[in-house]
Structure formats: structure tokens, C-alpha cells
Amino acid sequence: QVQVVESGGGSVQAGGSLRLSCTATGTISRINAMAWYHQPPGKEREVVAVTTAGNIVKYADSVEGRFTLSSVNDNNTVYLQMNNLRFEDTGVYYCAAQVVQVDGPKLDEFWGQGTQVTVSS
């Protein structure tokens, strides 16, 4: 099985910074992509940043220039540096890993439990 674990959430004032981390472990043969999602209170989950094999990173327009996704260890650990946080960045942040497991060629997706970020204005 594959486990995805996030950490690093917390409470900050607007304009502050937080860094989230996410690590995928288990029966992983290859990581195809890892992504961060944001779910504001009472709203749908939305993608924030994605990194794929080859270290290509894409960001949502709402975080471009403020958030930075970086990866280490062949992409099994990713960080989301969040600067200049805004009230609307409040919510639960989830990490998702798209992987090929050791027992087969198909892609599977695994999610972490989420970490809460609260930005006060």
C-alpha cells in the first residue's frame, strides 16, 4: 500500500508564510505526479500546484507568484512554500500522489489526510 502524509499547517496572519510538506511512502515503483489541493470552508477542492516527472510545476492562477512547490528524493517528498498568505487561502490542504505501484503498470492515486491552514485578516 501507499501512504501519503502531510504536515505543516497552522494559523498565521495575512501576509505571513507557512510551509507544508508531503511524503509518499510504501509500495511505490514510480511517482508520476504529486499535487497540492486546497479546499476552502464549504467549497469544492481545487488544485493549487502540481509537479510531474521531469520536475515540471504548474500553479493555479490564484497562487502564482506566492506559492512555490519544490520536491526532493525523486519527487516522493514535496513542499509547498506559501508566502503572502491571504484570508481566502484558509482551508484544508491535501496532498495527492499519482504512482505506479511495484505490482503493476497502472496508475493509482493516493491522498493524505489533509492539513488545516487558517489565515486571519
Side-chain angles (χ1 to χ4, degrees):
Q1 261 295 2
V2 175
Q3 299 80 38
V4 177
V5 179
E6 310 106 329
S7 63
S11 298
V12 294
Q13 290 189 327
S17 298
L18 283 172
R19 189 174 85 153
L20 308 182
S21 64
C22 170
T23 298
T25 58
T27 55
I28 299 172
S29 175
R30 177 176 60 84
I31 293 180
N32 186 62
M34 291 186 76
W36 285 100
Y37 288 77
H38 170 221
Q39 187 165 21
K43 296 185 178 180
E44 298 286 320
R45 195 175 300 185
E46 56 194 15
V47 65
V48 171
V50 180
T51 182
T52 60
N55 291 321
I56 297 172
V57 182
K58 295 185 178 181
Y59 298 96
D61 289 344
S62 59
V63 306
E64 184 79 55
R66 299 188 299 122
F67 290 10
T68 302
L69 189 157
S70 58
S71 61
V72 296
N73 297 333
D74 293 327
N75 279 356
N76 77 322
T77 297
V78 292
Y79 301 98
L80 187 68
Q81 178 66 43
M82 306 187 295
N83 296 330
N84 192 20
L85 282 160
R86 303 169 180 169
F87 176 75
E88 53 266 34
D89 295 321
T90 294
V92 181
Y93 284 74
Y94 295 91
C95 179
Q98 190 181 67
V99 309
V100 175
Q101 296 190 74
V102 296
D103 60 352
K106 72 180 182 72
L107 282 172
D108 293 311
E109 193 168 66
F110 296 89
W111 291 79
Q113 79 287 354
T115 185
Q116 175 71 40
V117 171
T118 302
V119 185
S120 57
S121 56

